[in-house]
């Protein structure tokens, strides 16, 4: 027996108008000051006023310090005092994750972050006080549909990205309106799209992959290869924006149900140590962790078959071609797309200095090991493997071990 979890999804031009039909008229909006300044909160609040719904905005999610415990606890208190029947998360992944955590702690005020874990059955009952609606403003994280929350916490004096997760944290509605990501600058468009690819490729190869998640991951990859170059070069192209927005959510459903693996372990750790954006961090590692999995000495591993099937289905090779060769063509295609959208391909490109890299390497590797995504990898890395992947990614060398 297996499960596939997801919210109701409303997508396409004008999707935000559907919120009028969702019952509830006292809305608590979780966002940040940037989203307000960019005018996105106003798009939503103008609609709420038109529909006669009340609202309060909590803009206390720090834009420069992703989803963190202090902001969430402040949001929880504000939410409890406002007592809404609807919570709307409006923003990128950190804001949506914060909104999901605030929702859970509003429903169960006695809960702290440590209670948001898969072993707490009460969380299956979320939604009794408020309906949770996510409205992503970027096209990448998939946080609008996932059961996970990535929170920055200080543990043993080290800033650490911790994952909390529970199936009950999946929002009831995800509203994907391309009006919100339409203003993303090209660099952010590329970074978030590589998060989509990292979710999809890792979701396809992870040890939790399944046929439903595979379908979502496959389609998200197809859409991203087609529409990212268009959205990057022609940001006003709404067809490309709409399709990238859908791709992000498909990938979210894919990796949310199939799980991400070591690209995300390394990406989370890089983000925590060097404050590199999540999309850049996981996208940068994608070719390296792909090559590492394709070289798995365990012949029962299906990574080569999975990558090859994808390459053949996307028309990058003939069906009769050798699987190993095609799997490597797929990795080359990822690198070509990185070049096409001026994406950093090495840790050096990302601005990390060698002496700083050497100094922080052990701390970084320790975080990689602690990350829950590591256990989902089709090939289990040793400490030396993680170290060498990081060193190769610093220099831009193809993985050969
Ligand atoms: Fe991600």
């Amino acid at each position: 027996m297996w499960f596939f979890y997801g919210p109701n999804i409303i997508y396409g031009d004008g999707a935000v108008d559907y919120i009028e039909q969702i019952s509830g008229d006292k809305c608590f909006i979780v966002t940040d000051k940037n989203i307000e300044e960019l005018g996105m909160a106003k798009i939503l609040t103008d609609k709420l006023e038109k529909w006669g719904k009340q609202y309060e905005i909590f803009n206390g999610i720090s834009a420069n310090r992703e989803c963190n415990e202090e902001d969430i606890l402040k949001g929880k208190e504000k939410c409890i005092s406002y007592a809404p029947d609807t919570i709307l998360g409006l923003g990128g992944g950190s804001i949506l994750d914060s909104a999901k955590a605030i929702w859970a702690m509003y429903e169960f005020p006695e809960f702290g972050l440590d209670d948001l874990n898969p072993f707490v059955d009460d969380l299956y009952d979320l939604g009794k006080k408020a309906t949770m609606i996510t409205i992503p403003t970027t096209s990448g994280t998939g946080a609008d549909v996932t059961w996970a929350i990535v929170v920055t916490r200080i543990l043993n004096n080290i800033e650490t990205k911790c994952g909390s997760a529970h199936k009950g944290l999946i929002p009831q509605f995800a509203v994907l309106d391309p009006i919100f990501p339409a203003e993303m600058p090209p660099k952010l468009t590329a970074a978030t799209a590589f998060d989509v690819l990292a979710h999809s490729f890792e979701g396809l190869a992870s040890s939790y992959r399944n046929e439903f998640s595979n379908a979502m991951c496959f389609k998200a990859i197809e859409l991203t290869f087609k529409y990212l170059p268009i959205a990057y070069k022609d940001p006003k192209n709404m067809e490309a924006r709409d399709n990238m927005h859908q791709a992000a959510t498909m990938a979210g459903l894919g990796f949310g149900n199939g799980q991400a693996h070591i690209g995300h372990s390394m990406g989370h750790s890089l983000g925590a140590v060097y404050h590199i954006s999540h999309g850049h961090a996981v996208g940068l590692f994608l070719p390296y962790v792909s090559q590492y999995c394709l070289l798995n000495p365990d012949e029962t591993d299906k990574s080569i078959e999975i990558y090859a099937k994808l390459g053949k289905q996307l028309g990058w090779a003939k069906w009769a071609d050798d699987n190993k060769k095609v799997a490597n063509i797929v990795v080359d295609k990822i690198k070509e797309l990185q070049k096409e959208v001026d994406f950093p391909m090495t840790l050096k490109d990302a601005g990390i200095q060698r002496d700083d890299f050497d100094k922080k390497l052990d701390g970084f590797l320790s975080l990689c090991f602690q990350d829950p995504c590591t256990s989902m990898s089709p090939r289990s890395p040793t400490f030396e493997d993680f170290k060498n992947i990081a060193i190769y990614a610093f220099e831009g060398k193809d993985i050969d071990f």
Side-chain angles (χ1 to χ4, degrees):
M1 186 166 63
W2 204 254
F3 299 90
F4 185 86
Y5 293 92
N8 297 292
I9 295 167
I10 301 98
Y11 64 93
D13 184 30
V16 70
D17 289 327
Y18 184 84
I19 294 170
E20 184 183 11
Q21 298 174 46
I22 300 173
S23 65
D25 54 16
K26 196 175 182 194
C27 306
F28 186 72
I29 302 170
V30 178
T31 191
D32 71 12
K33 292 193 177 79
N34 278 353
I35 299 287
E36 277 194 299
E37 280 163 18
L38 289 167
M40 293 188 210
K42 191 170 183 316
I43 294 173
L44 179 62
T45 55
D46 282 353
K47 302 262 183 197
L48 295 175
E49 283 171 22
K50 191 172 126 198
W51 302 328
K53 296 187 189 236
Q54 298 173 57
Y55 63 85
E56 180 170 292
I57 297 180
F58 172 67
N59 65 6
I61 305 301
S62 310
N64 58 353
R65 194 167 163 255
E66 295 177 336
C67 187
N68 70 76
E69 192 169 11
E70 297 80 45
D71 292 348
I72 289 169
L73 294 177
K74 270 186 235 154
K76 169 189 176 180
E77 295 312 316
K78 292 266 183 199
C79 190
I80 290 170
S81 97
Y82 184 63
D85 56 23
T86 308
I87 297 176
L88 294 142
L90 176 71
S94 300
I95 291 171
L96 301 185
D97 279 356
S98 303
K100 291 186 289 191
I102 289 168
W103 175 45
M105 291 193 247
Y106 166 56
E107 302 255 343
F108 292 98
E110 68 277 24
F111 282 3
L113 268 183
D114 290 330
D115 297 303
L116 309 186
N117 69 66
F119 307 106
V120 178
D121 287 345
D122 284 348
L123 291 171
Y124 283 112
D125 290 332
L126 290 182
K128 291 209 167 120
K129 288 185 185 170
T131 302
M132 179 75 220
I133 304 171
T134 48
I135 310 173
T137 58
T138 58
S139 305
T141 68
D144 45 312
V145 293
T146 60
W147 60 306
I149 295 173
V150 180
V151 186
T152 304
R153 301 177 85 178
I154 308 290
L155 299 176
N156 302 323
N157 291 323
I158 297 173
E159 195 166 289
T160 307
K161 287 190 187 288
C162 305
S164 298
H166 192 287
K167 301 290 186 198
L169 291 166
I170 292 174
Q172 282 117 330
F173 293 92
V175 175
L176 318 179
D177 195 317
I179 195 170
F180 294 108
E183 301 299 324
M184 276 197 298
K187 193 176 170 191
L188 183 60
T189 300
T192 49
F194 266 89
D195 195 19
V196 175
L197 288 179
H199 294 155
S200 308
F201 277 101
E202 292 179 41
L204 274 178
S206 102
S207 52
Y208 261 60
R209 68 182 178 275
N210 57 78
E211 297 299 349
F212 280 85
S213 64
N214 287 351
M216 289 292 157
C217 293
F218 177 85
K219 192 67 190 175
I221 292 170
E222 186 184 13
L223 290 176
T224 304
F225 271 89
K226 180 170 178 186
Y227 288 105
L228 169 59
I230 302 171
Y232 183 75
K233 287 168 200 149
D234 178 14
K236 297 283 173 208
N237 186 313
M238 289 308 283
E239 183 193 346
R241 290 293 193 191
D242 189 16
N243 277 282
M244 277 310 306
H245 216 35
Q246 292 177 43
T249 296
M250 286 178 203
L253 289 167
F255 94 99
N257 286 278
Q259 310 309 319
H261 63 84
I262 51 171
H264 266 69
S265 310
M266 299 188 81
H268 290 150
S269 308
L270 196 71
V273 175
Y274 292 102
H275 300 282
I276 286 175
S277 82
H278 178 73
H280 280 122
V282 294
L284 191 154
F285 281 120
L286 179 58
Y288 303 99
V289 299
S290 295
Q291 288 172 330
Y292 174 74
C293 293
L294 295 175
L295 286 168
N296 192 351
D298 178 357
E299 289 181 0
T300 62
D301 181 7
K302 302 268 187 232
S303 295
I304 289 176
E305 192 182 316
I306 291 163
Y307 273 63
K309 194 170 173 190
L310 175 86
K312 291 173 184 181
Q313 284 185 325
L314 290 180
W316 293 336
K318 296 191 185 76
W319 281 101
D321 287 347
D322 173 66
N323 276 352
K324 208 173 198 174
K325 187 178 137 202
V326 180
N328 286 313
I329 288 173
V330 171
V331 177
D332 290 342
K333 289 282 181 186
I334 297 170
K335 291 193 209 165
E336 281 170 26
L337 186 59
Q338 287 179 324
K339 280 190 198 130
E340 193 175 350
V341 298
D342 311 307
F343 194 86
M345 297 174 73
T346 66
L347 296 179
K348 230 189 301 186
D349 289 348
I352 298 173
Q353 304 295 319
R354 184 70 205 218
D355 53 348
D356 199 31
F357 172 77
D358 290 337
K359 200 163 66 188
K360 294 175 178 165
L361 186 58
D362 280 351
F364 165 77
L365 295 172
S366 152
L367 292 179
C368 291
F369 259 108
Q370 290 168 40
D371 194 286
C373 295
T374 298
S375 62
M376 308 296 171
S377 179
R379 182 178 176 190
S380 299
T382 61
F383 189 85
E384 279 304 300
D385 287 345
F386 263 138
K387 186 176 178 180
N388 286 326
I389 295 171
I391 291 169
Y392 277 46
F394 185 88
E395 295 292 346
K397 277 172 66 179
D398 284 332
I399 301 291
D400 55 7
F401 54 89

